[in-house]
Amino acid sequence: MLSWLGRAAIRISAGSLLTAIVAGVPTWLVIAVGWPLPGSMPDRASLTTFLTGGVTDRMVVNLLSIAIWLVWMLFAQAVYAELRDTIRGVKDLRLRAYRNPLRSTASILVSSMLLGTVLTATAATASPHAAGAAVATTPHALPAVALATVSEGPATIHVGNQTYVYVVKRADSLSKISAAWLGNADRWPEVCQLNKHRHFATVGGTLRDCNLIFPGWDLRLPADAKPPTSAKTGDTHHTTQPPAAAPTTTASPSVSAPTSAAPSSAPATTAADPSSPSATTSSTAALSTTATPSSSATAAAPTASTSASGSPTSASVPASSASAPDTPSTASSHDEHGVQLSPSSWVPWILAAAISAATLLVWRQRRRRYTGEPDDDPPTELPPPVVMLRRAVNRNPDLPNPDDSEAEPPGLPDLTPLPPGGTGLVGDGATAAARAALVAVLSSGGPHHPDTRAEVIIDAATLATLLGPDVVTLGPWPRLHLADNLDDALTAAEARLLHRSRILDEHTLTDLGELRTAAPDEEALPPVMLITETPPAGARMRAKVALALGEGLHVSALLLGEWAHGATLNVASDGHTTLVSGQPSEPVPSRLPVLEPGAAIQILTTLREAQTGEPPAITSPAIPVTVVPLHASRTENTPTDTTPPTVAVPGPDSTEPAPATPAVGEGRAPLRVLGRPRIEDITAEGRPLRAKALELAVYLAVHPDGAATREIGEYLEPDARVNQADQRVHTNASNLRHVLGRAGTAEAKNAYVIKSAGRYRLDPTTVDVDVWTLRDLLRKATIAAEPHRRELLAAACDLCSAPLAEGQDYEWIQPHRETVRRWGTEAHLMLADDLLDSDPQAASDLLDKAIGMDRYNEALYVKAMHARHALADADGIRTLLRALTKALADLDAEPREDTLELANTLRTSLDSK
């Protein structure tokens, strides 16, 4: 998506071009040519002279002028028609026998001027926030202009449980589809809201701008839509959700609260924002997708039908090269209700956001436990399902998007309290739903919300049924209580019931919800869920009594099998539910999240690392371990050819290492990605560097071995169709090569950016990349001797004073940014260790700087305590310990025992002097 400056540039460019054509062309004709026609009606003699005389230069100029005037009038009429339709807000739907041939060109220029959007490119769409606001305010606030589609083709139309094949033609628009299917062109905002922010995995692209649709997209329409005669019936979707009321027309402009999209298969009249806490049902949030206030709307089933062209409507993007370790193996699709990870795995947005927030804690936990050894716990990519959810959440503007800043992760709607009592699950999707419930419960809450960090009690047999043999990779987890059998699981649940009842009796309370208000210092009592098979006859009454008592004490159960003493739900393989028996005390969720075993174990491993700070206990093929490419390149046998740095050696009386700047190799183009990414020393004239070309430069810098075209397109052009993404990668690579050529002196045709076997990479012989220099400095410093070692480390510390690609929010950057941060920590620890005996003040200042860049790394605080001890600064040791304790509180952790003992020992030794 274009930045604000990019959209402004497009608006200015399109407006300038329109002005130049509409006003500049006639002005130039009048001044340069004048009036090309005769001043009066010619007589017979004049006509005879004209026809029999020779062709003069003036005659040719006049004829060309007349032709230009005719073309200009056609274009002016097209611009007038487009502006008229834009002001009206409704596309002219009348079919005309003769269409102005310049209408498409005028449409592109007018729309680009008004929206800042190049309508022939899917990545350059209007702001989803602005578009959503316009739709919510008035049906005419966003113009339903005809769109310049790239080609004709079939689209899948969903109406309730029925699908149709509709041929999208050039110049089709949502208003035209609304007129054909709903009988009213003004109802296009309803269609827009039903499909907004949906990603179409088959052909690529995301509907962010309701002025831009493409063939191959599967659009959803309200339930009262009627297909035109040209539409053909497609595959029928069989779902289990009950029908709901038909939608009403779009709200009037006076309504201030925006309405969100209702589910496609059963639209409700209005719906609250699915990302807001108020839009979730409090008692079923742990299991269900977001619900409307009336709880009558049901979630849309993931489509698995096949379009007329034979391509599935939910398909994965072709996999990248096997050598691309950080490329997800499959592509996810998402809509307004949730994320479809695979045909058998779907999670609602609320759960996807919770898992995405956990990734921030994972990186912080890894920073905390890093000791400074290069081979200790190498940085690895997150599991593919977690990466898919993270990327989907990043692209949803309605969800919190935590970054790598030092701020607390954003708050999320609680996934608890859990449904009261016990709920039985049967059907093809029962096991997958229980698996997802396990994930949902363990992802709830956070370090600063202990009362919402729900726990799970489960017996070993049930856990093995849900996760398979790879369950051994999880290891101990304080929030996951594993019992040997069902009897022990019930005993654990009863023990918690007894403990909570005693606490309520001590405070003369009857409801656990009142405890926090009456006794704010009381221990946290988070919700507890028991997950097990339906108890046999001998234990059924015991379970019934325990669950009845647990309704007011936040203890509930999810039972695999029919539960005669409560509600039983039939769960389809896609998560849709039907009430089989019982009378639930809360509305039954229309759809439950479902997960296959592989995805569940990988997500659980990530959640456990985020909460405990411990990596998987046992390595398993089910949990892929892929080292970040940038770090992997450090251990290569053949290092990249980089110019040795020129450094300044600190003097003996210096308090800190003198600044050192690596020398740029002669003739090589300097690419800087540490700090603000840029290309320095551009001297030759030429085209400017595109924003996407700059992102490509950073991407190739952190992939020294290169990356496949399809892989680059998947990350840099996620909203584009596959063929468009490849073309844009080629265009951006050409632009990057051109700009690097303006800063270097290489004359080879394909210098700077090399393409070989379908893979792009930067040429280390013609491009000087600072992050590669940092890598080589650390590689040499680990084997160098004094004083050369200190010179190398000083240069490395100077290089890594700023984060990778500072100021950029590339969604793929996090693993590589953390790798560079780790290298910075390593360099500062090694240099401080060398300076500690000879210059403790310089070592202390250096470590303070490093703590400012990574306040979660405990090894930095330990080394800084030694420096403070060498300076006889007992107060400094106390300050460091307090700062470390405060930082680790964000991770719900405390300093290690050996760190506390060290701080106490150092302070005691200073106090005794």
Side-chain angles (χ1 to χ4, degrees), residues 30-264:
V30 170
I31 295 174
V33 180
W35 184 245
L37 298 177
S40 61
M41 183 66 67
D43 54 13
R44 182 183 298 270
S46 299
L47 289 176
T48 302
T49 302
F50 175 80
L51 295 175
T52 58
V55 178
T56 64
D57 292 341
R58 182 61 185 178
M59 292 173 58
V60 174
V61 171
N62 286 341
L63 290 175
L64 289 176
S65 176
I66 292 172
I68 295 174
W69 273 109
L70 292 176
V71 174
W72 176 84
M73 286 188 289
L74 281 175
F75 183 80
Q77 189 277 333
V79 172
Y80 166 78
E82 286 299 322
L83 290 175
R84 178 197 62 200
D85 289 351
T86 299
I87 295 172
R88 291 171 55 194
V90 179
K91 178 66 182 174
D92 184 1
L93 299 175
R94 290 175 291 174
L95 298 178
R96 302 183 182 276
Y98 302 99
R99 179 180 174 84
N100 190 328
L102 298 178
R103 185 68 181 269
S104 297
T105 303
S107 176
I108 294 174
L109 289 176
V110 171
S111 300
S112 300
M113 179 183 66
L114 297 178
L115 302 177
T117 306
V118 180
L119 294 180
T120 55
T122 57
T125 56
S127 171
H129 298 284
V135 170
T137 305
T138 169
H140 297 292
L142 188 65
V145 185
L147 303 176
T149 54
V150 295
S151 63
E152 298 185 2
T156 303
I157 302 292
H158 298 267
V159 180
N161 295 336
Q162 184 66 49
T163 61
Y164 300 90
V165 176
Y166 171 78
V167 178
V168 175
K169 299 180 178 62
R170 189 179 297 274
D172 262 358
S173 63
L174 292 185
S175 60
K176 184 175 181 179
I177 294 176
S178 299
W181 289 74
L182 302 173
N184 185 357
D186 288 343
R187 292 184 63 182
W188 67 266
E190 296 179 46
V191 182
C192 173
Q193 287 291 75
L194 284 175
N195 297 276
K196 197 71 175 290
H197 305 311
R198 290 184 59 225
H199 177 70
F200 304 95
T202 304
V203 297
T206 300
L207 181 58
R208 301 186 189 278
D209 182 359
C210 291
N211 284 321
L212 188 61
I213 58 175
F214 283 99
W217 285 3
D218 54 317
L219 301 176
R220 296 171 175 171
L221 301 185
D224 62 340
K226 296 180 181 180
T229 56
S230 60
K232 299 179 181 180
T233 304
D235 295 336
T236 302
H237 296 274
H238 298 284
T239 55
T240 58
Q241 65 269 31
T248 61
T249 56
T250 308
S252 63
S254 61
V255 179
S256 58
T259 59
S260 67
S264 65

Side-chain angles (χ1 to χ4, degrees), residues 635-873:
T635 60
E636 292 177 350
N637 293 329
T638 305
T640 304
D641 182 17
T642 57
T643 301
T646 301
V647 299
V649 182
D653 300 329
S654 175
T655 59
E656 63 180 27
T661 304
V664 179
E666 183 179 357
R668 293 194 295 170
L671 172 61
R672 301 292 172 252
V673 296
L674 298 177
R676 182 179 59 85
R678 63 204 181 276
I679 297 175
E680 294 182 342
D681 300 337
I682 298 177
T683 57
E685 297 293 331
R687 300 188 303 273
L689 183 65
R690 299 183 176 190
K692 281 296 181 181
L694 178 62
E695 184 177 357
L696 175 61
V698 180
Y699 190 86
L700 293 179
V702 297
H703 290 78
D705 294 331
T709 304
R710 186 60 48 82
E711 173 194 346
I712 298 172
E714 172 68 16
Y715 281 97
L716 271 63
E717 304 287 350
D719 293 332
R721 297 183 297 174
V722 173
N723 59 340
Q724 286 184 333
D726 291 348
Q727 182 58 43
R728 292 178 188 177
V729 171
H730 300 327
T731 301
N732 290 323
S734 176
N735 178 253
L736 175 61
R737 186 183 294 113
H738 167 77
V739 178
L740 287 171
R742 294 169 54 198
T745 60
E747 297 181 357
K749 180 179 180 181
N750 293 322
Y752 308 109
V753 181
I754 301 174
K755 184 180 182 183
S756 176
R759 295 175 64 84
Y760 283 101
R761 67 180 180 90
L762 294 175
D763 182 7
T765 62
T766 56
V767 182
D768 179 80
V769 186
D770 54 354
V771 73
W772 295 355
T773 303
L774 173 62
R775 175 198 61 192
D776 294 342
L777 286 170
L778 292 176
R779 178 190 288 160
K780 296 172 183 177
T782 55
I783 59 176
E786 293 292 348
H788 185 50
R789 168 187 165 95
R790 186 175 299 185
E791 298 172 4
L792 295 171
L793 292 175
C797 291
D798 185 64
L799 266 180
C800 57
S801 59
L804 177 71
E806 186 176 23
Q808 303 296 330
D809 58 351
Y810 306 141
E811 64 179 25
W812 49 267
I813 196 69
Q814 191 70 19
H816 313 284
R817 184 172 283 164
E818 292 297 335
T819 298
V820 172
R821 192 198 306 269
R822 171 180 293 214
W823 288 356
T825 299
E826 177 188 350
H828 283 81
L829 283 171
M830 294 172 65
L831 183 57
D833 191 59
D834 290 348
L835 294 172
L836 191 58
D837 294 334
S838 60
D839 194 346
Q841 185 61 55
S844 179
D845 295 340
L846 188 70
L847 290 167
D848 287 345
K849 174 187 173 184
I851 291 174
M853 294 186 294
D854 186 358
R855 67 190 188 97
Y856 296 105
N857 184 264
E858 196 161 353
L860 289 174
Y861 290 89
V862 171
K863 187 69 68 175
M865 290 179 186
H866 284 289
R868 295 291 201 279
H869 180 264
L871 295 172
D873 185 4

